[in-house]
Amino acid sequence: MRIPAHSVCTAIRDDIVAGVYERGSRLTEELLARRYGVSRVPVREALRTLEAEGFVVTRRHAGACVAEPTEQEAADLLEMRLLLEPLGAARAAQRRTEAHLKVLRGLVRLGQERARRGNSEDLRSLGGWFHETLAQASGSHALTSTLTQLRHKIAWMYTLEAPANPVESWAEHGAIVDAVARGDGERARAVTALHTERSASAHRLRFSGGDRVRTSQHVVNMSGPRH
């Protein structure tokens, strides 16, 4: 696998989220450089960025390792999202452009259509695009970046069950867009808060074992994702 040097951080992050590298496993620069077809310099830079984001930790005598977040840390992420998603929607109601509205409405139409057909895989992707676009419509780079990072980390720590009623879920997406289009920040905040709170109950931890951080030091797995 050969990728552009500037994409190394994204590639490693995606592989951590996908489970290519186990929690606690070592991430050696040499093996990573070989896997992605780059020199060790962009790998070293990527590991620094991923450590700042919380995906990687540096351990004495072990070097860079995949982080092992606790259950409390994972729960905190859902709580942070519950606070920030509604804020982003309220900001979007004041700052969105017509281009943002066009994309959001298009995603809602597709989501509602797929929900009626019961295509859960498409719905998951569409939901991700919807919330990413909503965050971008907030007009705040800091908020958008934080929400994007939260989504990455939540996807790493949790599996997401399909909503019991996808039609209702996408009706909520539609209500959010309606409020944003009207410039009603308080309505956008309230509907998004309800939607985010409901979706939180569909998240299931990928790991268990309390708040103790393990210190296992596995050799990095180069064979690809586990299924």
Side-chain angles (χ1 to χ4, degrees), residues 1-216:
M1 179 192 301
R2 180 172 290 277
I3 63 174
H6 67 270
S7 300
V8 173
C9 183
T10 298
I12 297 175
R13 184 194 300 111
D14 287 349
D15 281 345
I16 289 175
V17 171
V20 174
Y21 309 126
E22 293 181 354
R23 297 169 67 249
S25 63
R26 294 182 62 193
L27 298 170
T28 65
E29 292 179 9
E30 181 180 359
L31 289 177
L32 292 172
R34 188 186 311 156
R35 175 179 176 86
Y36 301 111
V38 296
S39 71
R40 295 174 64 170
V41 173
V43 168
R44 190 175 303 124
E45 294 173 353
L47 291 176
R48 290 195 192 103
T49 298
L50 293 171
E51 182 167 19
E53 293 179 355
F55 289 95
V56 171
V57 295
T58 299
R59 292 180 180 153
R60 189 177 181 182
H61 306 309
C65 301
V66 178
E68 297 181 273
T70 65
E71 292 184 27
Q72 183 58 60
E73 289 169 338
D76 287 346
L77 293 176
L78 293 182
E79 187 172 358
M80 289 169 64
R81 185 179 180 184
L82 181 58
L83 293 172
L84 294 179
E85 288 275 8
L87 173 62
R91 292 289 184 271
Q94 305 304 320
R95 303 172 181 173
R96 88 297 184 278
T97 65
E98 288 302 315
H100 289 132
L101 286 178
K102 182 177 180 180
V103 174
L104 288 168
R105 285 168 172 155
L107 290 169
V108 168
R109 282 195 299 270
L110 283 173
Q112 291 175 338
E113 177 186 329
R114 298 296 192 277
R116 288 191 294 268
R117 294 181 180 180
N119 193 326
S120 59
E121 287 304 313
D122 279 357
L123 288 178
R124 185 164 299 181
S125 297
L126 288 171
W129 292 337
F130 176 89
H131 287 285
E132 182 176 343
T133 304
L134 184 64
Q136 291 171 354
S138 73
S140 168
H141 175 74
L143 183 57
T144 301
S145 177
T146 300
L147 283 168
T148 297
Q149 188 178 135
L150 274 176
R151 279 191 288 274
H152 285 313
K153 295 183 81 171
I154 288 170
W156 174 38
M157 298 183 197
Y158 291 92
T159 57
L160 180 61
E161 297 178 351
N165 189 336
V167 173
E168 180 180 355
S169 178
W170 277 92
E172 293 172 359
H173 285 94
I176 293 170
V177 176
D178 288 344
V180 168
R182 292 197 306 270
D184 189 341
E186 287 309 308
R187 173 66 176 168
R189 184 193 297 269
V191 176
T192 303
L194 178 62
H195 174 73
T196 306
E197 185 174 5
R198 287 178 175 172
S199 68
S201 63
H203 289 76
R204 298 289 178 266
L205 269 178
R206 295 181 184 274
F207 61 90
S208 61
D211 289 340
R212 183 172 63 88
V213 177
R214 295 191 295 274
T215 57
S216 59

